[in-house]
Amino acid sequence: MKKIVCIVLALILLLALTACGSSSKKDDASLTLTAGKLAVSAEIGYPPMEYFDADGSTPIGFDVEMMTEIAKRMGLELDLIDTAWDGIFAGLDSNKYDMVMSSCSITPSRQENYLMSKPYVQNAIELLVPVDSDITGIDSVSGKKVAVQGETTSHDYLRDNDTGCEIMDYDKVINCFDELKLGRVDAVLTDSVVAAYYLGDELDNYKVVWVNSEAEPIGITFRKGNTALCEAVEKVLDEMFADGTAAKIAAKYFGDSAGVEGIR
Amino acid sequence: MDVLQKMLSWLPQLLDGARITILMTITATCAGVILGTFLALGKISRNVVISKLCSAYIFFFRGTPLLMQLYFLYYAVPMFLPALTINSRFLAAFIAYGLNSGAYCAELIRAAIQSIDPGQSEAARALGLTYGQTMRLLIIPQSIRRLVPPVGNEFIMMLKDVSLVSIISLGDLTKVTRSINSSAATPLVYIPSMIIYLIITAFFTFVFNRVESHMAKKE
């Protein structure tokens, strides 16, 4: 009897906790959650978009340099928050940061729930396999193990399309490549920007056998209704594209600036 | 009502995850107890080499995070020593959890053995029993009784440690919950999931309490 009372009390506590909504307030005069600061969330561990330098603590990458420049031009201090990808949008909902700039592909479902900027870099999902693999495209992965990063558009693609493969999802994209290297999975489905980076010095070992015809350009994600901040950021982005800053950063991380040309 | 219906629709997936969680907890804790017994006996052994080896093992596995041990076993070891590649996710996690639990159980078992009045083994030796006989017939049976509560505790800790397996793409209850959370875009799923954890914990607490009182009767 005592135990039942205990369990019931525990459940009540649980429900009571969930009933307490978050109530962080936004300073109305400021564009951002904290005046003078631009809080940006990224899952750092996604080269060449956002990753740590060789020292393991300095965030670098295309997104990182882009956001640094955005914050600088807006006269704000950049506060980069490293967040797990799984849950990154939930943090936006609960006012943990102003925006997510972490290689977010623009998709209809994300646009439905969030405010997304115009694209700032081109991207599509690609299927990567070992050079000697018999997989020739997304049609021939039936019965094979395909690694994806959890809750990414690659993961969505496999869930939404009947490819017949076994989906293996990981927290970090690096684990997908580890698994491919160890031969535990047969293919990796990932963003072309990332695939190109990993293929960089592994061209002899891996090849891309399929690229989704549906492009998934990358944009910045804001809370729904936060148009003021979105517009301010878009303006700065336009400037950065007009004066060649974006192309310069792209060339630094992608080797060329093709990914950002003509995207805006 | 809508909310309840949603929660019910997630139940099959959650229960499938719970199956892995329970299976892993039981098998790994059993492995831990068996391994721990040998480690404990090794640690209190008078053979210095064995004693030091067991101490080092316990020190290592208690001194590094379980998450890292799992990562190391699954991702790093195969890179250095391809022969030791474990391709089954469940097996890899089982080995990591078993090795880790072994270290913790060793300390529990050592404490239980040493809690038996040394006068008893002195008396047994005086009566002509060998060290092995003393341990097997006298000390271990009594230690087991004292071991039930701490092992029950270890079991419940393990139940929650198993949630780390998501890093190797093994679908335990926590991983399934997180997947539903992101695909259904609602954190509501944490509620039924936590309730399932509580039910599992309540069930095993009950089992361990029964075992404990059963043993107390025998005393």
Side-chain angles (χ1 to χ4, degrees):
Chain A
M1 189 59 213
K2 234 192 224 156
K3 209 165 290 147
I4 295 170
V5 173
C6 238
I7 292 169
V8 169
L9 281 177
L11 291 183
I12 291 171
L13 192 68
L14 192 71
L15 289 171
L17 281 175
T18 53
C20 305
S22 67
S23 57
S24 52
K25 266 217 182 107
K26 184 176 167 293
D27 187 355
D28 283 337
S30 156
L31 267 179
T32 56
L33 291 167
T34 315
K37 256 192 185 168
L38 182 65
V40 185
S41 170
E43 186 241 351
I44 307 177
Y46 207 64
M49 301 300 282
E50 41 270 319
Y51 59 113
F52 287 112
D53 205 353
D55 66 0
S57 63
T58 317
I60 53 168
F62 178 74
D63 276 345
V64 177
E65 261 186 57
M66 289 291 280
M67 67 176 86
T68 309
E69 188 65 22
I70 291 170
K72 200 174 104 195
R73 291 188 186 206
M74 289 174 78
L76 297 167
E77 191 194 326
L78 174 70
D79 181 12
L80 173 56
I81 302 156
D82 185 12
T83 314
W85 177 256
D86 169 16
I88 203 164
F89 295 115
L92 191 62
D93 288 329
S94 51
N95 288 332
K96 296 274 194 302
Y97 26 77
D98 296 302
M99 62 191 214
V100 179
M101 190 163 180
S102 188
S103 322
C104 310
S105 298
I106 301 173
T107 64
S109 81
R110 282 180 189 159
Q111 279 175 318
E112 202 175 292
N113 297 310
Y114 302 96
L115 179 61
M116 293 206 73
S117 75
K118 280 190 287 179
Y120 62 88
V121 61
Q122 196 51 265
N123 180 48
I125 54 176
E126 290 185 353
L127 190 69
L128 227 80
V129 298
V131 159
D132 55 0
S133 170
D134 57 349
I135 297 174
T136 53
I138 201 77
D139 308 323
S140 55
V141 294
S142 183
K144 306 274 191 189
K145 285 181 175 156
V146 181
V148 292
Q149 185 179 12
E151 312 316 326
T152 55
T153 49
S154 309
H155 196 185
D156 291 339
Y157 183 89
L158 291 184
R159 285 191 290 205
D160 298 343
N161 295 278
D162 189 21
T163 57
C165 70
E166 191 183 339
I167 309 170
M168 313 298 310
D169 60 306
Y170 299 85
D171 285 359
K172 292 272 176 192
V173 77
I174 177 83
N175 295 142
C176 302
F177 290 98
D178 284 346
E179 292 283 77
L180 189 66
K181 205 175 281 175
L182 291 167
R184 287 178 182 142
V185 298
D186 303 298
V188 171
L189 189 65
T190 189
D191 285 334
S192 53
V193 283
V194 176
Y197 179 86
Y198 277 102
L199 273 178
D201 20 272
E202 301 269 0
L203 262 178
D204 299 338
N205 301 327
Y206 304 104
K207 58 181 179 184
V208 171
V209 289
W210 176 80
V211 181
N212 193 4
S213 56
E214 234 171 275
E216 286 180 0
I218 288 167
I220 306 174
T221 318
F222 302 89
R223 254 183 310 286
K224 195 128 197 152
N226 197 0
T227 19
L229 181 63
C230 180
E231 274 165 15
V233 171
E234 291 271 34
K235 209 176 122 241
V236 174
L237 270 177
D238 282 335
E239 284 169 24
M240 285 166 63
F241 273 82
D243 66 16
T245 314
K248 220 171 75 196
I249 299 175
K252 180 172 168 189
Y253 287 100
F254 307 140
D256 58 54
S257 59
V260 298
E261 260 150 37
I263 188 128
R264 287 179 76 85
Chain B
M1 226 44 228
D2 197 33
V3 171
L4 210 65
Q5 220 156 39
K6 244 190 200 162
M7 287 190 188
L8 282 177
S9 72
W10 295 324
L11 215 52
Q13 286 158 274
L14 290 176
L15 288 178
D16 203 41
R19 192 178 52 91
I20 294 206
T21 297
I22 295 172
L23 216 61
M24 181 66 76
T25 308
I26 294 176
T27 51
T29 314
C30 287
V33 170
I34 295 168
L35 179 63
T37 309
F38 288 106
L39 285 169
L41 289 174
K43 194 174 172 178
I44 57 177
S45 152
R46 269 162 298 179
N47 183 324
V48 182
V49 180
I50 293 176
S51 170
K52 284 274 181 279
L53 268 177
C54 293
S55 297
Y57 177 96
I58 295 168
F59 177 69
F60 175 78
F61 279 95
R62 294 208 309 170
T64 52
L66 177 53
L67 180 69
M68 222 181 253
Q69 292 164 13
L70 184 59
Y71 249 118
F72 190 78
L73 184 82
Y74 192 71
Y75 292 113
V77 169
M79 299 271 183
F80 308 137
L81 302 160
L84 290 180
T85 307
I86 303 160
N87 283 329
S88 155
R89 290 169 169 73
F90 190 89
L91 187 67
F94 164 72
I95 292 173
Y97 284 104
L99 292 177
N100 180 276
S101 177
Y104 281 93
C105 288
E107 284 298 297
L108 300 179
I109 293 166
R110 183 188 58 80
I113 291 174
Q114 289 181 338
S115 75
I116 309 288
D117 187 357
Q120 289 198 25
S121 48
E122 277 162 26
R125 301 305 285 279
L127 288 169
L129 269 71
T130 63
Y131 176 76
Q133 282 173 322
T134 313
M135 275 294 167
R136 208 176 66 243
L137 302 170
L138 201 68
I139 310 292
I140 305 261
Q142 291 185 82
S143 314
I144 288 174
R145 232 164 279 157
R146 301 191 182 179
L147 259 178
V148 176
V151 168
N153 196 38
E154 168 71 15
F155 186 91
I156 288 168
M157 303 273 277
M158 175 67 76
L159 181 72
K160 286 157 296 174
D161 284 342
V162 168
S163 62
L164 300 174
V165 296
S166 73
I167 62 158
I168 62 169
S169 194
L170 187 63
D172 78 315
L173 183 50
T174 300
K175 180 159 197 305
V176 172
T177 308
R178 286 166 65 197
S179 298
I180 296 176
N181 175 23
S182 18
S183 56
T186 162
L188 212 62
V189 63
Y190 286 105
I191 297 172
S193 178
M194 281 200 264
I195 292 174
I196 294 177
Y197 268 114
L198 288 175
I199 292 172
I200 302 171
T201 310
F203 174 75
F204 283 102
T205 308
F206 172 77
V207 170
F208 276 100
N209 283 344
R210 282 300 287 272
V211 174
E212 201 183 330
S213 55
H214 178 75
M215 290 221 161
K217 255 184 244 153
K218 269 169 73 180
E219 196 145 348

